[in-house]
Each structure stands twice: as C-alpha cells, then as structure tokens.
Amino acid sequence: MPPKGQRDTKKEKPRDAKGTLLRIWRYVTRFRVLMIFIALMCIASNLLALVGPSLAGRAINEAAAGAGKVNFEKVWYDAGQMLLFYISSSVLTLLINFLMMKVGRNIARQMRSDVFYKLMKLPVNYFDRNAAGDIISRVSYDIDVLSTSISTDIVQIMTSLITVAGSLFMMLLISPLLSLMVLITIPLSIFYTRYMGKKTRPLFARRSAAYGKMNGYVEEMFSGQKTIQAYAREDAVLNKFESINQEASEAFYLANHYGMTIGPTMNSINNLGLALLGMFGSILYLKDLVSLAQISSFVLYSRKFSGPINEIANIINEIYSALAAAERVFRLLDETEEAKDVENAGKLANVQGNVEIKNVSFGYVPEKIILQNFNLKADAGKLIAIVGPTGAGKTTIINLLMRFYDVNAGEIMVDGQEIRSLTRESLRRAYAMVLQDTWLFNGTIYENIAYGKENATRDEVVAAAKAARIHHYIMQLPKGYDTVISEDGGNISKGQKQMLTIARAMLYDARMLILDEATSNVDTGTERRIQSAMRELMKDKTCFVIAHRLSTIQNADLILVVNGGNIVEQGTHSELMEKQGFYHRLYNSQFE
C-alpha cells in the first residue's frame, strides 16, 4: 500500500468558472418550481421598490408649486403610497430570503449525499492518496461555503439585475440626457470588475486548497496525539502547524485583500458618476430642460442603479470563494470510481475456500513492481500464514485477494473462478477480515459485534464474544452489551477494541478469513486463547494470517515466507526450522 504520507500536492489548476456555474445551476434547477416562484416575488418586490422614487418626485413637485400653494393632502397621499410600497417590498424580500435559505439547505444536503455516495464508490487508492481531513473539508467547509452563497448571492444577483434594468428604464423615461452621465461610468465598472475577477479567482482557489491542507494536518495530528506526546514531539508539530497555518492565513489574506478592494473602488466610480450627474443636471435645470422633481427622482433612481452594482462588487469575492469551493467538491465527484464489474459477472456462491494465485505481478505504480510472478495455493480449510520483513508484500497480497487492487499480470482463482469474472460484492462477502487498525463506530457493543451480519441474534453475538474472550469484560460494563462506546472505541483499550473486531469476524458467516496482525494489541496469554478459539471456530475455513510474531503461527498448515515480492520459502514451522534458511533466521531474530 502506498505510504499514507504521500499525498497529492498538486497546485490548483486554473478555474473553469463557466463549467462550475453550470453544474451548480443543475443543482438549483432541481427546485425549479420554487425558484420560479422566488423569481416572480423578486420581480414584484423590486417593482414595488422602484415606484418609490417616482412618488417622491411627485411629492416634491407638489411642494415646489410655490409659496402657499403646497397641496399637503396630495403630498401625504404620495408619501403614504411610497411607505406602503416600501413595506410591501420589504415583506416580500424577507419571504424570498427565507425560501432561499431553504433551497440552499436542501442543495447542501443533496450535495453531501452525492459526495458521500461517491466516497463509497471510490477505490482504496483514493483514500491512500488523500488526507482524511482534506476530504472532510470538502464535505463540510466547502459545501457550507457554496450553500451560503446560493442562499444569499443568487437572490442578490436576481434583485440587482431587476433593479438595474428597472432603474435604467425609469431614468431614460425621466431624462435621456441625464442618463448619459450614468452610462459613462458603466464601461469603467465592467472593465474593473472583469480585471479583478481574473486576479482574485485563483486566489480563492488557493485559499480553499490551503484550508483543506490545514484540516488534513490537524486531523492527522489529533489521531496520533498519544504518539506525539510519547515522543515529546509537541514543539515540532506546533512548528509545522504554524507553517501550514501561516500559508492558510496568507492565502486567506490575499484573497480577501483583493476581494475587499472591489467594493470601495466601485463606490468611487459610482460617486464619480453622481458628481457628473450633479453638474450636468444643474446646467439642464438652469436651461429649463428638466424640473427639480425630475432631478430628485433621477438622483434616487441613479442610486438604485449604482447600488446593486456596488453590492455585486462587494459579494464578488464570496462568489469566487464559492466557485473555488464548488470546484473542489466537483473534482471529488469527478474522481474515477472503482472499476465496474465485468459484464455478466458471476456471483461467488457456495464458497468452498480454495484459493490459488498464479504468476501474479503487481505494483501500486507501474515503475515499481512489488510482486513478481507470485504463486500461492491454499486449499479449503487450511490456515496459511504469510510472514516476511516489512515491505516484502504481505499486505499487498491481502489487497489483491480482496480486489482492493487488481493484478497487473497473472490471475487469482477462488474455487476455480478468476476473481475478476466475479462481482466484487460477492467476493468480499466471502471473506471475514480483521485488521491491525481496528475500526469501531459510535454505538452499542452489541451493534459493533453484529455489524457484519444482518439480523444477528443476541445469543449469536454473545457466543462470538465468548469465543473472542471478551464476554467477561463486556458483562462488567454498566449496561453490558448495550453499553455505548465512543467513536472509534476511544473509551476502551486497544486490546479490547481488537477483541471486539475479532468477535465481529467470528460472527460473520464467511468461508474465508483474513487476519492482518489481528492480535498485535493483546497480551501473549490472551493471544494464545484467541488463537485456540479461532482455530476451533474457523475449522474447515480457509484462513490467511499475516503475522510478525512468528511464535503465533507455529500451528499453521502452510507458512509462506515472502521477501522482495517472491515466496522464498514455504512449508510448516518445523520444516522451515530444519532448513535453517531465511525463516530460521527471521524466527531466531525475534529472540535475540
């Protein structure tokens, strides 16, 4: 298996904003009926708000009729209508925001479901290459960023477009000449926004990647906290975290620094347009080409026209951040899934447990072949022990038997059938597996033991626990088998966790068993009792045992000594000791 430390460290590639927006839109259109309703409400809300400046102009016109000629009744009527329209617009806006939050929440839920489904379909090598923290960052942080943007920015953009179009229309109706002053600044705004967009988009992509790297490191260090303290490596870990944290902080600063300059700059551009409007409007007023009421209404509409442009400029950094986050999520969704079963793949049924590996060559990368012309024959019901130095290829053999990886050359047979002609599900169900790295979930002890067997009875679970020599310990717990253990069994010892996973494997109705250093975390006395119990329960079942403590596999039917990807010796313990070869030296080295 590739070392866990060799993670992907690729630089962020240039962003495909159009493609990402299209994929986000596909999620949004799943709620098309609700979105159409929201769009109609946006139009209504903005039209109501656009009537306000016109009513204000009418009221000012009444007030400017001359001394003693003010029609207060009409002024109050126009002001009352304006207030009613603005309140109605605000109520609709609140409803729109509430509905968009619902849409954003549902999109986030759907996207997380898609990502989690995808993770279940990805091959083992994806998790070997990517840090768990980075994957979690995509599932949580990146989707949250995207969901928040959808909830707020889509409404903002729709509102802004309607407001800009409506304000421009009203300004053209009031005075085409004054409209020229506002339109002068539009090309400048568009040019500046496009320029800053190209500059900030990769910065937000870098920020998302830096956060993913930081989360990956934090998750990795937290999982190894005891080891860090045991080796007094706290300072080294803190120093490295400071470096990664500094990188994330710089990425955050650069992205937000450039993003936050967009809004003030756009304000300055719009204020320039307002200054031109004031000067030109004064000239037109002096020449009796426009009235005071027209100028006041026009100024209000010009603010409504420039306001949304400013708001879009202010949220543009959020949009780019959301696009960067979305691309990280979509890259995960685009990862190549585990290869599908061949057409008309058979199901492994009535398993006997005869396994044969024929002339297999394999390497995790083509340039480095680990197994070369490897051969192995395991008859049904036999216990096959695989031993050898670190890196010899022992775990690789297990990965190939389970089809976590496929061979480069040769074939692997189970009961006379090539495993690539079988469905992965039926092949893997034929094995029970206990690894050195134990895995327990947040649930009761009963649920953890019964995990692999549906509808397991209490008696069956108890029998498996007794066989694994863990029953006595369980009964000492406050609630026995109903005791809830924390995530990954953090509230019990490693040895007890391992015995629970062994009990789980014993309960699982499989004809073949894989034990990868399965008793490494228990004491020698318990290990011998478990070995005896497992040997009895696994009678007539094919067992593959990877062991470093060679004293535990002396009773194996066949011991394969692997070195450099080849079987250098094979036989029983006594036969191999008599040869006084590689196994003899390996065995004696454990007692030196």
Side-chain angles (χ1 to χ4, degrees):
M1 185 180 297
K4 291 281 184 182
Q6 294 180 1
R7 306 295 187 186
D8 283 345
T9 56
K10 297 178 181 177
K11 298 282 185 183
E12 292 290 328
K13 295 181 179 180
R15 294 306 183 232
D16 177 17
K18 291 181 180 179
T20 303
L21 283 171
L22 181 61
R23 294 184 70 168
I24 294 172
W25 182 246
R26 289 172 186 161
Y27 276 94
V28 174
T29 53
R30 297 183 185 188
F31 307 92
R32 59 174 62 87
V33 174
L34 186 57
M35 290 302 299
I36 291 172
F37 181 60
I38 290 172
L40 291 174
M41 285 197 298
C42 270
I43 294 172
S45 174
N46 284 275
L47 289 179
L48 288 170
L50 284 169
V51 176
S54 178
L55 292 171
R58 284 167 54 179
I60 291 171
N61 203 41
E62 293 295 334
K69 297 181 181 180
V70 178
N71 188 343
F72 284 103
E73 184 178 345
K74 189 128 186 191
V75 170
W76 284 112
Y77 176 77
D78 290 336
Q81 276 193 315
M82 185 167 59
L83 182 62
L84 177 63
F85 287 152
Y86 279 140
I87 291 174
S88 300
S89 176
S90 298
V91 170
L92 285 175
T93 301
L94 285 173
L95 182 58
I96 290 166
N97 290 334
F98 172 77
L99 292 175
M100 279 307 301
M101 285 180 62
K102 183 178 180 181
V103 170
R105 181 190 65 193
N106 289 336
I107 288 174
R109 182 177 62 191
Q110 181 61 53
M111 193 170 283
R112 283 197 179 94
S113 296
D114 292 345
V115 169
F116 200 80
Y117 176 84
K118 182 72 175 187
L119 290 172
M120 295 298 102
K121 297 291 184 180
L122 291 177
V124 170
N125 64 22
Y126 177 82
F127 301 96
D128 291 340
R129 292 183 290 107
N130 292 274
D134 184 58
I135 297 172
I136 293 170
S137 180
R138 300 187 193 207
V139 177
S140 57
Y141 171 75
D142 288 331
I143 292 180
D144 280 342
V145 168
L146 178 57
S147 171
T148 302
S149 180
I150 290 172
S151 300
T152 57
D153 297 341
I154 288 181
V155 173
Q156 191 65 62
I157 290 170
M158 284 195 298
T159 300
S160 298
L161 291 175
I162 296 168
T163 302
V164 166
S167 299
L168 180 60
F169 176 75
M170 295 301 293
M171 286 190 296
L172 288 171
L173 280 180
I174 294 171
S175 174
L177 289 174
L178 286 176
S179 300
L180 291 174
M181 293 299 98
V182 178
L183 295 176
I184 287 174
T185 59
I186 291 179
L188 186 59
S189 299
I190 293 173
F191 173 79
Y192 177 74
T193 303
R194 287 176 62 87
Y195 168 76
M196 291 303 295
K198 292 179 181 179
K199 195 174 187 66
T200 58
R201 195 180 306 145
L203 294 177
F204 281 105
R206 178 186 166 191
R207 188 184 76 171
S208 288
Y211 275 26
K213 180 180 178 182
M214 182 173 66
N215 288 340
Y217 183 76
V218 170
E219 188 273 339
E220 191 174 20
M221 292 304 102
F222 280 175
S223 64
Q225 187 65 25
K226 289 183 180 178
T227 303
I228 292 169
Q229 292 178 342
Y231 284 90
R233 295 287 294 172
E234 292 92 339
D235 290 340
V237 169
L238 285 171
N239 289 336
K240 186 170 182 181
F241 176 77
E242 283 300 320
S243 174
I244 296 173
N245 190 25
Q246 178 66 23
E247 181 182 343
S249 298
E250 288 179 1
F252 179 88
Y253 170 77
L254 287 173
N256 286 276
H257 169 73
Y258 284 104
M260 291 175 69
T261 61
I262 297 175
T265 305
M266 291 297 296
N267 274 328
S268 299
I269 294 173
N270 289 321
N271 288 332
L272 173 63
L274 191 61
L276 293 173
L277 175 62
M279 290 188 297
F280 192 58
S282 300
I283 295 171
L284 294 178
Y285 177 74
L286 291 174
K287 293 182 177 292
D288 291 327
L289 295 176
V290 293
S291 67
L292 186 61
Q294 286 177 306
I295 292 177
S296 62
S297 294
F298 194 93
V299 169
L300 291 174
Y301 278 119
S302 71
R303 299 307 293 173
K304 279 190 169 293
F305 178 82
S306 61
I309 297 177
N310 287 347
E311 289 171 358
I312 290 175
N314 286 328
I315 65 171
I316 201 164
N317 57 336
E318 296 176 14
I319 294 172
Y320 288 140
S321 177
L323 288 176
E327 285 201 340
R328 279 169 48 82
V329 174
F330 291 142
R331 279 204 302 276
L332 190 155
L333 290 173
D334 291 337
E335 286 286 340
T336 303
E337 295 182 3
E338 192 170 46
K340 293 183 178 179
D341 297 323
V342 297
E343 191 174 353
N344 300 321
K347 290 188 176 182
L348 187 60
N350 301 319
V351 182
Q352 300 301 311
N354 293 293
V355 179
E356 187 173 4
I357 299 177
K358 298 180 178 179
N359 301 316
V360 162
S361 295
F362 173 76
Y364 293 104
V365 291
E367 305 81 39
K368 187 176 180 181
I369 300 299
I370 297 175
L371 299 179
Q372 300 175 347
N373 297 319
F374 189 86
N375 291 274
L376 180 152
K377 193 173 191 310
D379 294 328
K382 299 296 184 182
L383 193 157
I384 311 298
I386 305 172
V387 302
T390 301
K394 302 184 297 297
T395 301
T396 299
I397 297 171
I398 301 305
N399 286 337
L400 296 177
L401 288 174
M402 296 287 288
R403 277 199 77 190
F404 293 144
Y405 294 85
D406 279 327
V407 300
N408 294 351
E411 56 185 9
I412 300 175
M413 315 290 290
V414 175
D415 292 343
Q417 302 177 75
E418 218 284 330
I419 62 174
R420 284 172 292 187
S421 67
L422 302 169
T423 64
R424 281 187 177 84
E425 182 181 0
S426 65
L427 173 68
R428 291 170 183 172
R429 283 186 177 275
Y431 288 94
M433 195 170 187
V434 180
L435 302 177
Q436 181 178 3
D437 296 328
T438 56
W439 178 74
L440 299 173
F441 55 87
N442 193 346
T444 66
I445 287 178
Y446 169 82
E447 291 169 340
N448 272 275
I449 295 176
Y451 180 76
K453 185 176 182 180
E454 294 182 9
N455 303 318
T457 66
R458 180 62 65 110
D459 290 341
E460 289 175 326
V461 170
V462 171
K466 287 181 178 179
R469 304 300 192 268
I470 191 69
H471 174 74
H472 179 70
Y473 165 76
I474 295 173
M475 296 309 296
Q476 290 179 328
L477 296 173
K479 295 184 180 180
Y481 284 85
D482 295 320
T483 301
V484 176
I485 57 178
S486 64
E487 183 181 354
D488 200 30
N491 54 346
I492 60 176
S493 71
K494 281 192 173 184
Q496 289 157 349
K497 285 197 295 184
Q498 200 136 44
M499 292 165 76
L500 286 174
T501 59
I502 291 170
R504 178 194 295 165
M506 288 179 170
L507 179 63
Y508 189 60
D509 186 19
R511 297 294 302 170
M512 295 180 288
L513 174 67
I514 292 174
L515 302 173
D516 188 353
E517 289 295 321
T519 57
S520 61
N521 289 323
V522 297
D523 60 85
T524 305
T526 303
E527 181 179 45
R528 287 173 180 170
R529 292 195 300 273
I530 292 176
Q531 290 285 350
S532 175
M534 286 198 312
R535 190 74 178 114
E536 181 180 345
L537 288 174
M538 292 297 155
K539 192 177 294 182
D540 300 325
K541 296 183 181 181
T542 309
C543 303
F544 295 92
V545 178
I546 293 178
H548 285 146
R549 283 189 277 184
L550 304 186
S551 58
T552 64
I553 47 92
Q554 294 182 17
N555 295 322
D557 297 306
L558 178 66
I559 299 174
L560 300 176
V561 186
V562 182
N563 190 29
N566 294 302
I567 297 177
V568 294
E569 291 178 348
Q570 58 180 303
T572 63
H573 173 74
S574 57
E575 290 171 347
L576 293 173
M577 290 300 289
E578 288 178 6
K579 288 182 180 179
Q580 296 192 357
F582 190 88
Y583 178 83
H584 181 269
R585 294 193 300 274
L586 202 64
Y587 184 85
N588 287 332
S589 68
Q590 297 191 356
F591 301 98
E592 290 178 356

